[in-house]
Amino acid sequence: MTDISQHSEAAPETLLGRSIRALTRYPRRSPATLGYLVLLAVDTLVVKRVLPESTAGRILQDISTNIDNLPRHPVTSLLGSLLVVDRGTLLDYLLTVGLGVAVCLGFLEHRIGAPRAFAAVLLGHVGATLVTSGVVAMAIDAGTYPPDIRHALDYGVSYVSIAATASITPLLPRRARPWWAAVAVLYPLTAAEWYGRFPDFTTIGHIAAALIGLTVAFLMTQVGPRRANAPSSQIGPDHMA
Protein backbone atom coordinates (compact mmCIF):
# COMPACT_ATOMS: atom_id res chain seq x y z
CA MET A 1 0.00 0.00 0.00
CA THR A 2 1.39 3.41 -1.00
CA ASP A 3 2.13 5.89 1.77
CA ILE A 4 0.25 9.03 0.68
CA SER A 5 1.97 11.20 3.27
CA GLN A 6 5.34 10.53 1.65
CA HIS A 7 4.05 11.78 -1.71
CA SER A 8 2.48 14.90 -0.18
CA GLU A 9 5.79 15.79 1.46
CA ALA A 10 7.87 15.09 -1.65
CA ALA A 11 6.23 17.71 -3.87
CA PRO A 12 7.25 20.77 -1.82
CA GLU A 13 10.76 19.36 -1.41
CA THR A 14 11.03 18.85 -5.15
CA LEU A 15 9.93 22.42 -5.85
CA LEU A 16 12.35 23.72 -3.21
CA GLY A 17 15.13 21.63 -4.68
CA ARG A 18 14.48 22.99 -8.17
CA SER A 19 14.48 26.53 -6.82
CA ILE A 20 17.79 25.99 -5.04
CA ARG A 21 19.33 24.48 -8.17
CA ALA A 22 18.08 27.44 -10.19
CA LEU A 23 19.77 29.86 -7.78
CA THR A 24 23.04 27.96 -7.88
CA ARG A 25 22.98 27.97 -11.69
CA TYR A 26 22.15 31.67 -11.92
CA PRO A 27 25.79 32.94 -11.99
CA ARG A 28 26.61 30.61 -14.87
CA ARG A 29 23.41 31.19 -16.83
CA SER A 30 23.07 34.95 -16.35
CA PRO A 31 26.48 36.36 -15.38
CA ALA A 32 25.94 39.81 -16.92
CA THR A 33 22.64 40.29 -15.10
CA LEU A 34 24.22 39.16 -11.84
CA GLY A 35 27.05 41.65 -12.36
CA TYR A 36 24.53 44.40 -13.04
CA LEU A 37 22.61 43.54 -9.87
CA VAL A 38 25.79 43.71 -7.79
CA LEU A 39 26.76 47.04 -9.37
CA LEU A 40 23.26 48.37 -8.78
CA ALA A 41 23.32 47.32 -5.13
CA VAL A 42 26.76 48.83 -4.48
CA ASP A 43 26.01 52.12 -6.24
CA THR A 44 22.67 52.53 -4.50
CA LEU A 45 24.20 51.77 -1.11
CA VAL A 46 27.03 54.26 -1.64
CA VAL A 47 24.79 57.07 -2.90
CA LYS A 48 21.93 56.56 -0.45
CA ARG A 49 23.82 55.49 2.69
CA VAL A 50 27.54 56.28 2.51
CA LEU A 51 27.98 59.65 0.80
CA PRO A 52 27.07 62.92 2.54
CA GLU A 53 23.56 64.06 1.71
CA SER A 54 24.80 67.12 -0.20
CA THR A 55 27.12 65.02 -2.39
CA ALA A 56 24.46 62.40 -3.00
CA GLY A 57 22.01 65.14 -3.95
CA ARG A 58 24.40 66.54 -6.56
CA ILE A 59 24.94 63.08 -8.04
CA LEU A 60 21.21 62.43 -8.28
CA GLN A 61 20.72 65.80 -9.97
CA ASP A 62 23.47 64.97 -12.49
CA ILE A 63 22.03 61.56 -13.39
CA SER A 64 18.41 62.71 -13.50
CA THR A 65 16.76 62.42 -16.91
CA ASN A 66 14.40 65.36 -16.47
CA ILE A 67 14.12 67.78 -19.40
CA ASP A 68 16.25 70.37 -17.62
CA ASN A 69 19.27 68.08 -17.13
CA LEU A 70 19.00 65.65 -20.06
CA PRO A 71 20.06 68.12 -22.81
CA ARG A 72 23.03 69.30 -20.71
CA HIS A 73 24.27 65.86 -19.62
CA PRO A 74 22.78 63.32 -22.05
CA VAL A 75 25.28 60.48 -21.57
CA THR A 76 25.67 60.96 -17.82
CA SER A 77 21.93 61.04 -17.24
CA LEU A 78 20.97 58.20 -19.59
CA LEU A 79 23.62 55.81 -18.26
CA GLY A 80 23.97 57.06 -14.71
CA SER A 81 20.25 56.83 -14.07
CA LEU A 82 20.53 53.05 -14.59
CA LEU A 83 22.97 52.62 -11.71
CA VAL A 84 20.92 53.81 -8.73
CA VAL A 85 17.58 52.41 -7.55
CA ASP A 86 14.87 55.01 -7.05
CA ARG A 87 12.92 55.35 -3.82
CA GLY A 88 9.98 53.01 -3.36
CA THR A 89 8.18 50.49 -1.18
CA LEU A 90 9.29 46.92 -0.59
CA LEU A 91 6.76 45.79 -3.20
CA ASP A 92 8.23 48.27 -5.68
CA TYR A 93 11.70 46.82 -5.13
CA LEU A 94 10.44 43.25 -5.46
CA LEU A 95 8.68 43.98 -8.74
CA THR A 96 11.28 46.30 -10.25
CA VAL A 97 14.58 44.77 -9.17
CA GLY A 98 13.44 41.27 -8.25
CA LEU A 99 11.00 40.34 -11.00
CA GLY A 100 11.99 42.74 -13.77
CA VAL A 101 15.77 42.72 -13.51
CA ALA A 102 16.80 39.60 -11.61
CA VAL A 103 14.23 37.20 -13.07
CA CYS A 104 13.16 38.57 -16.47
CA LEU A 105 16.44 40.14 -17.59
CA GLY A 106 18.34 37.13 -16.27
CA PHE A 107 16.05 34.76 -18.17
CA LEU A 108 16.35 36.90 -21.30
CA GLU A 109 20.14 36.82 -21.08
CA HIS A 110 20.09 33.05 -20.59
CA ARG A 111 17.92 32.53 -23.67
CA ILE A 112 19.21 35.04 -26.23
CA GLY A 113 22.60 36.05 -24.82
CA ALA A 114 23.80 39.08 -22.90
CA PRO A 115 24.47 41.44 -25.86
CA ARG A 116 20.96 41.14 -27.30
CA ALA A 117 19.26 41.05 -23.90
CA PHE A 118 20.93 44.22 -22.70
CA ALA A 119 20.46 45.87 -26.10
CA ALA A 120 16.70 45.28 -25.81
CA VAL A 121 16.39 46.81 -22.35
CA LEU A 122 18.75 49.70 -23.10
CA LEU A 123 16.70 50.57 -26.16
CA GLY A 124 13.62 50.43 -23.96
CA HIS A 125 15.22 52.72 -21.39
CA VAL A 126 16.61 55.26 -23.85
CA GLY A 127 13.54 55.23 -26.08
CA ALA A 128 11.15 55.65 -23.16
CA THR A 129 13.26 58.50 -21.74
CA LEU A 130 13.21 60.37 -25.03
CA VAL A 131 9.47 59.80 -25.43
CA THR A 132 8.73 61.13 -21.95
CA SER A 133 11.00 64.14 -22.48
CA GLY A 134 8.99 65.16 -25.51
CA VAL A 135 5.70 64.51 -23.74
CA VAL A 136 6.74 66.54 -20.68
CA ALA A 137 7.88 69.49 -22.80
CA MET A 138 4.61 69.58 -24.75
CA ALA A 139 2.45 68.98 -21.66
CA ILE A 140 4.13 71.83 -19.75
CA ASP A 141 3.67 74.18 -22.69
CA ALA A 142 0.01 73.17 -22.90
CA GLY A 143 -0.50 73.70 -19.18
CA THR A 144 -1.29 70.03 -18.53
CA TYR A 145 1.75 69.39 -16.35
CA PRO A 146 2.97 71.85 -13.71
CA PRO A 147 6.21 73.65 -14.70
CA ASP A 148 8.22 72.25 -11.78
CA ILE A 149 8.14 68.78 -13.38
CA ARG A 150 10.95 69.89 -15.67
CA HIS A 151 13.26 69.86 -12.60
CA ALA A 152 11.90 66.70 -10.92
CA LEU A 153 14.39 63.96 -10.06
CA ASP A 154 13.95 61.11 -12.52
CA TYR A 155 16.33 58.16 -12.22
CA GLY A 156 16.21 54.43 -11.59
CA VAL A 157 15.85 51.09 -13.36
CA SER A 158 12.07 50.92 -13.78
CA TYR A 159 12.19 51.42 -17.56
CA VAL A 160 14.82 48.68 -17.87
CA SER A 161 12.74 46.46 -15.60
CA ILE A 162 9.49 46.74 -17.51
CA ALA A 163 11.28 46.51 -20.86
CA ALA A 164 12.83 43.24 -19.68
CA THR A 165 9.47 42.00 -18.41
CA ALA A 166 7.87 42.64 -21.79
CA SER A 167 10.88 41.30 -23.69
CA ILE A 168 10.48 37.73 -22.47
CA THR A 169 7.05 37.51 -24.12
CA PRO A 170 8.21 35.72 -27.30
CA LEU A 171 10.04 33.14 -25.15
CA LEU A 172 6.89 32.13 -23.26
CA PRO A 173 4.37 29.46 -24.31
CA ARG A 174 2.29 30.77 -27.20
CA ARG A 175 -0.98 30.87 -25.27
CA ALA A 176 0.56 32.92 -22.47
CA ARG A 177 2.10 35.58 -24.71
CA PRO A 178 -0.94 37.86 -25.25
CA TRP A 179 -1.76 37.89 -21.54
CA TRP A 180 1.83 38.53 -20.45
CA ALA A 181 2.28 41.30 -23.01
CA ALA A 182 -1.00 42.94 -22.03
CA VAL A 183 -0.09 42.94 -18.35
CA ALA A 184 3.40 44.32 -19.04
CA VAL A 185 2.03 47.17 -21.16
CA LEU A 186 -1.07 48.04 -19.13
CA TYR A 187 0.10 47.41 -15.57
CA PRO A 188 1.69 50.91 -15.24
CA LEU A 189 -1.79 52.41 -15.54
CA THR A 190 -2.74 50.89 -12.17
CA ALA A 191 -0.40 53.33 -10.41
CA ALA A 192 -0.91 56.31 -12.70
CA GLU A 193 -1.38 59.83 -11.43
CA TRP A 194 -3.81 61.65 -13.69
CA TYR A 195 -3.70 65.26 -14.87
CA GLY A 196 -7.20 65.49 -16.25
CA ARG A 197 -7.27 62.75 -18.89
CA PHE A 198 -3.48 62.66 -19.14
CA PRO A 199 -1.39 60.21 -17.06
CA ASP A 200 1.87 61.23 -15.41
CA PHE A 201 5.03 61.08 -17.52
CA THR A 202 6.45 58.09 -15.61
CA THR A 203 3.43 55.99 -16.56
CA ILE A 204 3.84 57.03 -20.18
CA GLY A 205 7.52 56.11 -19.98
CA HIS A 206 6.76 52.68 -18.54
CA ILE A 207 4.25 51.92 -21.29
CA ALA A 208 6.72 53.13 -23.94
CA ALA A 209 9.52 50.99 -22.45
CA ALA A 210 7.28 47.92 -22.44
CA LEU A 211 6.23 48.44 -26.06
CA ILE A 212 9.83 49.00 -27.18
CA GLY A 213 11.11 45.97 -25.29
CA LEU A 214 8.30 43.84 -26.69
CA THR A 215 8.95 44.95 -30.27
CA VAL A 216 12.73 44.57 -30.09
CA ALA A 217 12.47 41.12 -28.49
CA PHE A 218 10.15 39.82 -31.20
CA LEU A 219 12.49 41.18 -33.88
CA MET A 220 15.53 39.64 -32.21
CA THR A 221 13.95 36.23 -31.73
CA GLN A 222 12.76 36.19 -35.34
CA VAL A 223 16.00 37.42 -36.94
CA GLY A 224 18.51 35.51 -34.82
CA PRO A 225 18.39 31.91 -33.62
CA ARG A 226 17.22 31.39 -30.08
CA ARG A 227 19.32 29.41 -27.67
CA ALA A 228 17.83 25.96 -27.47
CA ASN A 229 18.86 24.88 -23.99
CA ALA A 230 15.54 25.89 -22.43
CA PRO A 231 12.33 25.04 -24.36
CA SER A 232 9.87 27.93 -24.47
CA SER A 233 7.01 25.62 -23.55
CA GLN A 234 8.54 24.83 -20.16
CA ILE A 235 8.95 27.84 -17.94
CA GLY A 236 9.74 26.92 -14.35
CA PRO A 237 12.27 27.73 -11.62
CA ASP A 238 15.08 25.99 -13.53
CA HIS A 239 14.39 27.97 -16.69
CA MET A 240 13.67 31.35 -15.15
CA ALA A 241 17.17 31.55 -13.61
Side-chain angles (χ1 to χ4, degrees):
M1 181 176 179
T2 303
D3 188 350
I4 298 178
S5 63
Q6 292 181 354
H7 286 285
S8 62
E9 294 177 359
E13 291 176 356
T14 301
L15 179 60
L16 177 62
R18 292 181 64 190
S19 300
I20 293 174
R21 285 196 300 272
L23 289 174
T24 57
R25 294 172 182 173
Y26 194 94
R28 175 174 56 85
R29 292 184 170 186
S30 308
T33 302
L34 179 60
Y36 177 50
L37 287 168
V38 172
L39 181 62
L40 192 60
V42 171
D43 287 346
T44 302
L45 179 63
V46 169
V47 173
K48 299 292 183 69
R49 294 289 184 266
V50 177
L51 293 177
E53 186 174 345
S54 58
T55 303
R58 288 195 299 270
I59 291 175
L60 294 180
Q61 290 288 350
D62 287 342
I63 67 174
S64 179
T65 54
N66 58 53
I67 63 172
D68 183 52
N69 184 61
L70 183 60
R72 293 187 288 115
H73 305 103
V75 177
T76 301
S77 58
L78 285 172
L79 297 183
S81 61
L82 297 175
L83 301 178
V84 181
V85 179
D86 195 4
R87 296 180 301 272
T89 65
L90 177 60
L91 179 60
D92 293 332
Y93 295 144
L94 289 175
L95 291 176
T96 302
V97 181
L99 176 62
V101 179
V103 175
C104 293
L105 181 56
F107 176 61
L108 193 65
E109 177 190 355
H110 172 54
R111 291 297 304 277
I112 68 175
R116 290 196 291 171
F118 276 81
V121 298
L122 283 174
L123 285 172
H125 169 72
V126 173
T129 301
L130 296 179
V131 167
T132 56
S133 297
V135 168
V136 168
M138 290 187 294
I140 290 176
D141 290 341
T144 304
Y145 286 166
D148 58 354
I149 285 184
R150 70 169 54 249
H151 308 294
L153 284 179
D154 186 21
Y155 64 91
V157 298
S158 59
Y159 291 169
V160 162
S161 175
I162 200 161
T165 302
S167 293
I168 72 169
T169 300
L171 305 177
L172 297 175
R174 190 175 298 275
R175 290 183 179 180
R177 294 175 191 174
W179 299 102
W180 186 270
V183 170
V185 173
L186 298 178
Y187 175 76
L189 291 172
T190 62
E193 180 180 354
W194 294 89
Y195 296 82
R197 296 183 179 180
F198 212 62
D200 61 280
F201 71 91
T202 303
T203 298
I204 294 173
H206 285 150
I207 294 174
L211 290 173
I212 294 170
L214 186 65
T215 302
V216 171
F218 269 104
L219 291 174
M220 286 182 174
T221 54
Q222 292 297 321
V223 173
R226 294 190 308 184
R227 292 169 63 176
N229 55 347
S232 61
S233 61
Q234 300 177 2
I235 304 298
D238 284 340
H239 299 292
M240 293 296 288

